[in-house]
Amino acid sequence: MSQFTSLRVVRVYTLWIFTRAILHRGWWLVASLYFIIEAQFTPFQLVFVGTAQALTALLFEMPAGVVADRFSRKWSLVLGQLIMGLSMLATGWFSTFPALVLTQMLWGLSWTFLSGADAAWLTDELRDPGLANRSIARAGAWEQVGGIVGIVLLGALAWLTSFVLVLQVAGLLMMLLGGFVAGAFPEKHFAAIDRKLSALTIFRQGLLLARDDRAIQTVLVAITLISAAEAMFTRLYQKGLVDLGLPPGLDPVLWFTLLAVLGMLLSAIVLRCASVWVSHAGWVRLMFAGSCLLAGVGLAGFALAAQPVLAMVFVIVVNGVAWSLLRMLGVIWANSRVPSAIRATLLSLLSQVEHLGKIVLGTALGVLAQGGGMDKAMWGAACIMLTAAVLVMMFHSLQKRRSAG
């Protein structure tokens, strides 16, 4: 592939990621406020919506990955965009709890056609794994910038107009973004893959690779552990800050918005810097283990913090560095180990275990927080992250010994 063609592929992929982040991050902020203010959801209903999304994704991740591997990565992305836009649009049509749960389950379904297929499409079209890894990391940085733009832009638009208008406009624009993917994304190298494989064969090969490849096993277990700690922290740190007492001068909503923006800004910087090193498998493993260690220290620091400002620093570091790096590094690590014919399927399995960790272990940490206090839950999450760091470092040491021998 010529340098010009590769550059064009990277540019359209990055532009898509950036624009999608503007729409879905900004939409989610407005939707969250809509659920509370307009639909008047109870705390149980808010948690139930998240659980319904996760369960839907858990059920459909692998089948959607098989569809992308069997038929088309590009058109899987288009389908995901259209379903996502429809769910966003439909959210503004309803205010009753059952109907809104269905729209959010549709939102969860849409992501199953995007996760895995995006990295698989990019890797195949570039035909250069190192360039693909660097492009995924750099696009992740632009995704964080897009999230900042979306939160500010759509939040301000909702304040000036109405929640319903913003929800529907964002949904329509997301569907139009699906048209951009259909027109701008090439798919020249997908046909070179053996399309004679049945969907069942692709599914079976993905499971067999996950069973037999030690690196894939390591990243799957690590992502399961990490997602549980992340789910607990992102759901509870706001309450922890409120209990400590937020600094005076700003409304709590503005404080949390500021924390989100600073976290995404830091994440964009870190991901851009990390993109230099992601072409080397050893560095990917070391950064993964280091991010797990950083998250564990941050969680423990949050549990010990007696001042809200110090606790906020830990929030920004954990959200802005650890979680964003780990999500990107997990995809790159798995992507570099998978043959093209089953790439989307295996990456979908990665997303599937992430949802499983949130539902099972994340719920267990939530129960610990309810019964034993938030501090114990934070310490439990910190131990989980340290366990993930040790697991990855053990695998890294094993690989180094094998290379030396």
Side-chain angles (χ1 to χ4, degrees), residues 29 147-157 261:
L29 169 69
I148 296 172
V149 173
I151 287 174
V152 174
L153 184 62
L154 296 190
L157 185 60
V261 169

Side-chain angles (χ1 to χ4, degrees), residues 27-28 31 34-35 39 41-57 86-88 90-110:
W27 175 87
W28 182 246
Y34 178 73
F35 295 153
F41 279 9
T42 65
F44 170 78
Q45 289 173 325
L46 291 171
V47 173
F48 187 87
V49 165
T51 303
Q53 285 179 348
L55 285 173
T56 303
L86 178 60
S87 70
M88 294 163 67
T91 301
W93 292 343
F94 304 104
S95 59
T96 61
F97 177 66
L100 287 173
V101 169
L102 290 176
T103 65
Q104 301 317 294
M105 291 176 71
L106 196 63
W107 166 266
L109 174 64
S110 70

Side-chain angles (χ1 to χ4, degrees), residues 308-350:
V309 174
L310 180 60
M312 287 179 177
V313 172
F314 285 118
V315 169
I316 294 171
V317 170
V318 173
N319 285 341
V321 181
W323 302 145
S324 57
L325 261 180
L326 287 166
R327 188 173 291 107
M328 178 269 293
L329 292 171
V331 170
I332 288 175
W333 189 355
N335 188 48
S336 64
R337 302 285 303 184
V338 186
S340 182
I342 58 171
R343 180 169 282 124
T345 300
L346 204 288
L347 292 178
S348 290
L349 179 58
L350 194 69

Side-chain angles (χ1 to χ4, degrees), residues 78-92:
V78 173
L79 179 59
Q81 288 284 166
L82 294 177
I83 297 174
M84 179 179 290
L86 178 60
S87 70
M88 294 163 67
L89 182 65
T91 301

